[in-house]
Each structure stands twice: as C-alpha cells, then as structure tokens.
Amino acid sequence: MPRSATLLVLALASGALYLYATASTNVWLALAAKPIPVLALLFWLSTAQETPYRKRIMVGLAFSILGDIALAWPSDLFIAGLGAFLCAHLAYLWAYLDKARQLARGALLLAACCGIGLFGVLAAHGLGELLIPVALYALAISAMLWRALACGGLAALGATSFVASDSLIGVDRFVTPFAAAPYLIILLYWLGQWAIAASARGAAAERTSSPGEAIHGKSA
C-alpha cells in the first residue's frame, strides 16, 4: 500500500476511534487517538519537496500535536493547549506572510471583525485570569486568518475551518456548553489542518513542476 494511502487509513481510523472515545467518555483512549490524525498529516507533508512554506506549516502541525495532547489530557491543561496552538498559528502566519505580501484590505476587515466579535462575546461572559491569554490568542488567530484569506485557496479554507473550530471551543467553554460541540469542534479542526497541510503540499508540487515547464517553454 502506498505511504499516502497508509497515512490516510491511519488518520481515518484514529479519528473514528477518537469520536468513539468522546462519545463513551473514555479519556485515555481519547488522549491516545486525538494526536494521530495531525501526526499523519505531518508525516504526509514531510514527503513533499522541501520549501520554506512547507517547513513553516510543519512547525505549525508539530505545535498543534502538542496542543491536541494538552487539551485531551485528563487534568485541565487549557493554558498549555492555548499556548501550543498560539505557536501553531504564529507558524502558519509566518508561512502565509511568505506566500502573499499584498495588504488585502477586505481580508483584513473580515478577520478583524471575526476576532473582535468573538473576543467581545467571550469577554462579556467573563474570562477572569484568562483575559490576556485569550486576547493574545484572538489577535494571533485573526492575523493568521487575514493572511490565509490573502493567500486564498486551501490556505483560506484551512484557516477559516480552524477559526470556526476555535470559536466553538470558546462558546462551549465560556458562553454555553452544547452537546454537539466536541464533534463539531474536532471535525472542523481536522478539516482545517488537512487543508492547511494540503496547501503546503500543493505549493511544493507547483515548485517541483515549474523548472520543467520553464525549460519546455524555452525549447518551444
């Protein structure tokens, strides 16, 4: 079986296992299964041609795995998870800044509205000692969304899904818990991470093909 197919099966199987563990409140099974889909994405991306964009996305995936473990840990490691995902978003932001340099005013306005709106809702319900960490996180994820929207394509899809997932975490934790939250959060999160990783793999593939296309164009 090709490596990509093996990693896909592993990601799908571990994802299903995590959903089962969540439904059955088996915290240790959830802890074991949760990091595997993103770990599979990390290995999948490692087989692509090395580019600065790919390397930065891989750093973000690695921090995301740490965040997965922290948030799935039986004791409350929310701050540790928040810090790990903050680093992941900064790595993604770094990657997107390298890919697209235009200001993209519309994307900036949309990202700012999302960040300010969500933070306003959470702060209104009382964040206590988490006020500053959540404010910093909201700033980082809004900047990441802005630059991802400027890039467009899979990068934009991935960032949008990631922001939607994080927004649901905030609503479920600080505003009003709801039964479907764990499932919607993780499914949007996996979609986001896949799209972000796929954007890096696609960019690497384009870079691989461009020299040959250039030679062909010259010879023609």
Side-chain angles (χ1 to χ4, degrees):
M1 181 183 295
R3 180 181 297 181
S4 294
T6 301
L7 291 172
L8 175 62
V9 170
L10 178 63
L12 291 175
S14 57
L17 198 60
Y18 175 76
L19 293 175
Y20 167 77
T22 300
S24 59
T25 62
N26 188 327
V27 294
W28 292 109
L29 181 59
L31 175 62
K34 189 177 184 182
I36 296 176
V38 179
L39 184 62
L41 283 175
L42 186 62
F43 278 111
W44 177 61
L45 193 52
S46 71
T47 62
Q49 183 192 20
E50 184 173 326
T51 65
Y53 183 75
R54 188 211 70 162
K55 289 169 65 176
R56 293 165 190 175
I57 295 298
M58 288 181 68
V59 170
L61 291 173
F63 275 114
S64 296
I65 293 168
L66 295 178
D68 284 338
I69 294 171
L71 293 183
W73 201 263
S75 57
D76 190 0
L77 297 180
F78 183 76
I79 290 293
L82 196 70
F85 280 114
L86 173 64
C87 292
H89 290 311
L90 291 175
Y92 293 152
L93 172 61
W94 188 24
Y96 298 146
L97 283 170
D98 183 62
K99 189 175 182 182
R101 299 294 179 91
Q102 70 271 26
L103 178 59
R105 291 183 179 86
L108 175 59
L109 179 61
L110 179 59
C113 289
C114 289
I116 293 170
L118 178 62
F119 179 72
V121 170
L122 298 182
H125 285 77
L127 291 171
E129 62 183 11
L130 291 175
L131 181 66
I132 293 177
V134 172
L136 292 174
Y137 189 85
L139 179 62
I141 198 171
S142 298
M144 186 275 294
L145 177 61
W146 167 38
R147 298 318 306 164
L149 292 174
C151 293
L154 287 170
L157 171 62
T160 302
S161 297
F162 210 143
V163 170
S165 175
D166 279 355
S167 299
L168 289 178
I169 291 176
V171 170
D172 183 60
R173 184 179 179 93
F174 299 109
V175 181
T176 177
F178 58 103
Y183 307 101
L184 293 175
I185 288 167
I186 198 64
L187 291 174
L188 284 169
Y189 168 71
W190 284 334
L191 172 62
Q193 294 284 36
W194 168 81
I196 289 169
S199 75
R201 192 173 176 92
E206 289 174 8
R207 182 165 176 170
T208 301
S209 62
S210 59
E213 292 171 355
I215 292 170
H216 185 270
K218 287 179 181 180
S219 62

